[in-house]
């Protein structure tokens, strides 16, 4: 369950972090839209553009904007859209949330800071700042074998 301002949002079902297809080193936006539409019609509960499976570490800002807009358009209000944001730099993550906080974005998926391996207090501060950048829900992606850190239940 995520708390956003005075609302509580319950996440359930299957949420798909959408891959980003490429052709000759460029994003294939038409295939991306077809993928989102296909999975929505197949019954997923929500889509997540720009998760790490969506190549987020290699996508620039213009491509990010285009992918988010295309995911919103392809989902067409049929399922919620959570945008993947995250990294090991709290300032950059907060900046990304503020930049992507727009109509059609229903929330954000944010990974625990990786590489620099923050302590529990550091992760609490990180996610407090990320959550403070929006009134939309933040779904925390805790994947210790990839990030090298584990967000403890007590910290959450």
């Amino acid at each position: 369950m995520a708390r956003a301002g005075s609302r509580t949002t319950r996440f359930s079902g299957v949420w798909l972090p959408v891959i980003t297809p490429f052709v000759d080193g460029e994003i294939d936006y038409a295939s991306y839209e077809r993928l989102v539409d296909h999975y929505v019609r197949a019954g997923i509960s929500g889509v997540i553009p720009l998760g790490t499976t969506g190549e987020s570490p290699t996508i620039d800002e213009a491509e990010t904007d285009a992918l988010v807009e295309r995911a919103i358009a392809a989902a067409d209000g049929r399922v919620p859209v959570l945008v993947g944001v995250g990294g090991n730099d709290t300032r950059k993550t907060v900046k990304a949330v503020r930049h992507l906080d727009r109509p059609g974005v229903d929330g954000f998926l944010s990974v625990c800071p990786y590489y620099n391996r923050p302590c529990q207090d550091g992760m609490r501060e990180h996610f407090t700042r990320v959550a403070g950048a929006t009134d939309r829900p933040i779904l925390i992606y805790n994947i210790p074998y990839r990030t090298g850190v584990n967000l403890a239940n007590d910290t959450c």
Side-chain angles (χ1 to χ4, degrees), residues 7-85:
R7 327 185 293 261
T8 299
T9 302
R10 206 168 275 284
F11 295 101
S12 64
V14 176
W15 288 70
L16 180 70
V18 183
I19 65 162
T20 302
F22 289 82
V23 173
D24 296 325
E26 299 297 322
I27 295 174
D28 181 353
Y29 292 107
S31 292
Y32 183 80
E33 291 171 340
R34 284 193 303 273
L35 281 171
V36 171
D37 179 64
H38 169 76
Y39 288 116
V40 170
R41 285 186 290 106
I44 61 163
S45 304
V47 294
I48 305 169
L50 299 165
T52 50
T53 18
E55 306 295 334
S56 60
T58 65
I59 304 292
D60 68 27
E61 191 171 313
E63 293 167 327
T64 293
D65 288 336
L67 284 169
V68 169
E69 290 305 319
R70 288 171 184 253
I72 291 167
D76 195 27
R78 297 174 290 170
V79 298
V81 175
L82 294 185
V83 176
V85 295

Side-chain angles (χ1 to χ4, degrees), residues 21 29 44 53 58 63 92 97 101 105 107-108 110 115 121 124 128 132 135 137 140 146 148 150 152:
Y29 292 107
I44 61 163
T53 18
T58 65
E63 293 167 327
K92 285 182 182 177
V97 167
D101 198 350
V105 171
F108 297 94
S110 190
Y115 186 72
D121 287 342
R124 180 184 304 108
T128 297
D135 66 347
I140 296 173
R146 291 281 193 203
N150 183 34

Side-chain angles (χ1 to χ4, degrees), residues 87-94 98 110-113 118-133 138 140 151-152 154-156:
N88 63 349
D89 182 331
T90 302
R91 291 181 310 156
K92 285 182 182 177
T93 304
V94 166
R98 288 183 177 142
S110 190
V111 68
C112 291
C119 64
Q120 295 299 306
D121 287 342
M123 284 192 284
R124 180 184 304 108
E125 182 65 22
H126 173 82
F127 286 116
T128 297
R129 289 182 186 206
V130 170
I138 304 291
I140 296 173
L151 182 66
D154 289 346
T155 303
C156 209

